[in-house]
Amino acid sequence: RGAGPVRGLAQSVGVGGERGTPAANGVVAPAFAARGLGVVAVDCRHAPEWKWPAQLEVVRAGLQWIRVHAGEFHGDPDRMIVLGRSSGAQLAMVAAYRDASPSIKGVVSFYGPVDLAEGWRHPPTPDPLHTREILETFLGGTPAQMPERYREASPVTYATRRLPPTLLIYGRLDHIVEARFGHELDQTPRPAGSTSALLEIPWSEHALDPIPTGLGGQLSLPHAPASTHSPTTPPVISTP
């Protein structure tokens, strides 16, 4: 590290809201750390034991912990980027978008769900993870039974607000979280000054990034920390 505060990455984890540990990012996190970022892995409560919004509450608590303690690790709590992968990306987006904290300078979503009711209504084909079952376990029922939970847990709900710059990364061949969801969020009208960019990786499936030297890793990882901030104001990155 240099003389000043380092940029920080807070990393939230989750697989379908049901499993995942900080160790699951053991390959990707060092790739960011090698670029001079401080990386913090934020775990969350998992379904079926915990229903929404328990997962969000833990991520928000994790971000608050980073704000309080970043200085102890030579990080700048006023320059955070929130980054997540899959259901961790859904948590990252909702946490950043709902609270609109000025300390969050950017959001990076690796193949994150953005419209959970739409995902339930039109699951992918093939559907290896049984999307409807996962969503019902995560949210406590169907969209008809729990419409407010589906709305609150969907990043697209907040897209018309003034939001931090957001990078959306999807695999074109993803049949778990289809790339069309990235397009949906990216194309939602938003206030002036709210920006997003969509990076769609060809020939790539879900979990396209864990191998940094693979096609998905080479095309996505270098852009994640760099795309959401000015070169003169490096951020702290937090990733659910």
Side-chain angles (χ1 to χ4, degrees), residues 115-187:
D115 187 338
L116 304 192
E118 172 64 14
W120 187 94
R121 287 191 294 265
H122 299 103
T125 303
D127 184 13
L129 296 188
H130 308 290
T131 298
R132 287 180 174 172
E133 180 179 330
I134 284 178
L135 289 171
E136 290 169 22
T137 301
F138 178 46
L139 297 167
T142 68
Q145 295 167 329
M146 298 289 179
E148 193 62 19
R149 286 189 181 181
Y150 277 79
R151 190 190 70 82
E152 290 179 352
S154 295
V156 73
T157 299
Y158 312 97
T160 56
R161 301 180 181 181
R162 186 175 179 86
L163 302 175
T166 300
L167 174 62
L168 305 164
I169 301 172
Y170 290 82
R172 187 168 295 166
L173 302 182
D174 194 334
H175 62 278
I176 294 176
V177 180
E178 295 170 304
R180 66 186 177 93
F181 289 105
H183 288 273
E184 178 183 355
L185 184 58
D186 185 54
Q187 294 171 4

Side-chain angles (χ1 to χ4, degrees), residues 2-84:
V6 299
R7 297 172 286 171
L9 175 72
Q11 190 165 340
S12 164
V13 301
V15 180
E18 297 183 1
R19 59 190 186 276
T21 67
N25 293 295
V27 174
V28 176
F32 290 122
R35 295 179 174 86
L37 304 172
V39 181
V40 180
V42 181
D43 203 353
C44 69
R45 294 166 174 160
H46 302 299
E49 180 179 2
W50 298 94
K51 298 289 191 287
W52 180 268
Q55 296 83 0
L56 177 64
E57 291 167 355
V58 173
V59 171
R60 294 173 73 185
L63 296 179
Q64 181 58 28
W65 187 94
I66 293 169
R67 293 185 184 100
V68 173
H69 295 282
E72 301 170 21
F73 302 92
H74 310 287
D76 187 343
D78 294 322
R79 296 182 299 168
M80 290 200 293
I81 292 176
V82 185
L83 182 152

